[in-house]
Structures are given as C-alpha cells and as structure tokens.
Amino acid sequence: MDIVCLDLEGVLVPEIWIAFAEATKIPELKRTTRDEPDYDKLMRYRLDILKEHHLGLREIQETIAGIDPLPGAKEFLDELRTLTQVVILSDTFTEFAKPLMAKLGWPALFCNSLEVAPDGEITGYRMRIKDSKLTTVRALQSAGFETIAAGDSFNDLGMIKAGKAGFLFRSTEQIKRENPEILAYEEYDEFLDAIKRVLA
C-alpha cells in the first residue's frame, strides 16, 4: 500500500516564519530550512530573536490566522486524498499548524510542539522524534507502506530519497542543483500527474 508524505510549509502553505518576518519587519526571521540545514541551530536563532524583540506565541498566532493555503494547494490535496493515503510531515509546531490544517480539510499531520511560558514567551521546543521526517517514513515502511515523499527544503531530502519515489516541489535552485536526480516541479497539476504515474 502506498502513502504520500508531504512537507507543509512551502509545499501547501506559505512559510510561517517568512510571513511573521514580514509582519514584524524583522528580516532575520526570514531564514528557513531552505537556508539552514541544521534545524536546532535555526530554532535557537529564531528563539533568540523573539526574545530580543519581546515577541511570543500570541503574536505569531495572529500572523498565522491571516495565512491561507497556497493557491491550488487545497484542491491538489483533496484530489490526492481520493487516490491514496496522505500524511503531512512537518517540522512546524502544533501551536502553529492547527488553523492551517482546518483550511486544508484536516489532513493527518505529524509535527512538533513548543514550550511556552505562562506569559506567552516561547522558551523552547520539543521535537517529536530525532530526524522526524526520515524516521517517520522508515516507520511507515516497516508497517508495510511504500512511501512517496515530497518537499522543498534540506530537511526533506532524507524522506524524499528513502522511498519508492520522491520529488522536490517549488524548491530552491541550490537544492535542485545539488540533487539533480530528484524530479522537481513548480505547479500542482504536473506534480499530481507525477504522483499518479507512481501510483499507477
């Protein structure tokens, strides 16, 4: 049985941290996993900036409330879910993702959680499991699934390369250049057609 594992940000919804950087006019927060392969380093960097500017969970959630899925993402996901099982594997956090999942029709989501002080300061984060995307794909494979994975960032490459098929979607030129063996797509219709060919 096949299961499709999709990244969330950059694939189905805009990058949350980029949207928040634009809302707060703090350009340093635009740095994402497209730029920094080390997720722990990236999150420590982000938390330091939040602390410096006295920003917390409430301010980020206010930005997220105004974020909609990327144009065509909901329709793509709806059709894909009529063809096979789909799970969203993301390094985002439950506290960020819930309103976005509602707008996407509540697909299954495996992500992480934040540590938040009573005053709303984000003091830390808890990763669900080490190398969560690749580890989850391997667990699904051990349960008898053949995985098809897609994402746009450095932290997606492990799960993309580990399965029956893998794709880059709206990735960076650097990542595409460094991974020429991975088929890369920019539009949902061609991306869906590629997945259909694997499922056939």
Side-chain angles (χ1 to χ4, degrees):
M1 185 175 185
D2 295 305
I3 189 166
V4 174
C5 302
L6 297 175
D7 178 37
L8 178 64
E9 294 177 67
V11 175
L12 298 172
V13 303
E15 293 279 352
I16 291 168
W17 288 98
I18 291 177
F20 188 58
E22 291 170 350
T24 57
K25 299 182 170 42
I26 303 173
E28 294 85 358
L29 286 173
K30 288 187 176 182
R31 192 165 180 77
T32 72
T33 51
R34 289 176 164 212
D35 311 300
E36 175 53 69
D38 186 330
Y39 191 75
D40 287 325
K41 180 178 177 183
L42 177 62
M43 277 305 300
R44 287 193 299 270
Y45 170 79
R46 288 167 168 168
L47 294 183
D48 286 345
I49 293 171
L50 293 179
K51 185 164 188 158
E52 177 187 341
H53 291 272
H54 307 290
L55 295 167
L57 180 59
R58 181 178 59 82
E59 290 83 4
I60 299 174
Q61 288 178 328
E62 286 172 357
T63 295
I64 293 169
I67 295 176
D68 288 320
L70 293 167
K74 172 73 163 51
E75 295 77 9
F76 159 78
L77 188 58
D78 286 347
E79 184 170 351
L80 182 58
R81 291 170 73 190
T82 70
L83 303 173
T84 190
Q85 296 295 312
V86 180
V87 63
I88 311 299
L89 302 183
S90 176
D91 280 337
T92 193
F93 305 96
T94 304
E95 296 83 356
F96 291 0
K98 190 172 180 181
L100 298 170
M101 292 303 100
K103 292 177 181 181
L104 287 169
W106 297 107
L109 169 70
F110 296 172
C111 64
N112 305 303
S113 57
L114 292 169
E115 296 171 352
V116 183
D119 66 356
E121 180 187 354
I122 301 172
T123 57
Y125 57 96
R126 291 188 300 279
M127 301 299 282
R128 183 172 51 81
I129 195 168
K130 184 174 172 56
D131 298 323
S132 63
K133 295 183 182 186
L134 176 58
T135 303
T136 302
V137 159
R138 287 182 172 152
L140 290 167
Q141 291 166 346
S142 74
F145 288 97
E146 290 196 84
T147 60
I148 301 163
D152 67 329
S153 298
F154 285 108
N155 63 337
D156 299 314
L157 293 173
M159 72 170 181
I160 288 171
K161 293 178 179 180
K164 173 181 179 179
F167 306 100
L168 290 168
F169 186 71
R170 296 184 180 171
S171 189
T172 65
E173 290 306 316
Q174 178 189 352
I175 292 173
K176 288 189 284 189
R177 188 171 57 250
E178 292 176 358
N179 299 274
E181 75 283 5
I182 303 175
L183 293 175
Y185 296 99
E186 298 296 321
E187 302 299 331
Y188 287 113
D189 55 353
E190 60 181 4
F191 182 30
L192 184 61
D193 286 344
I195 296 173
K196 286 178 177 177
R197 286 193 291 273
V198 177
L199 294 172

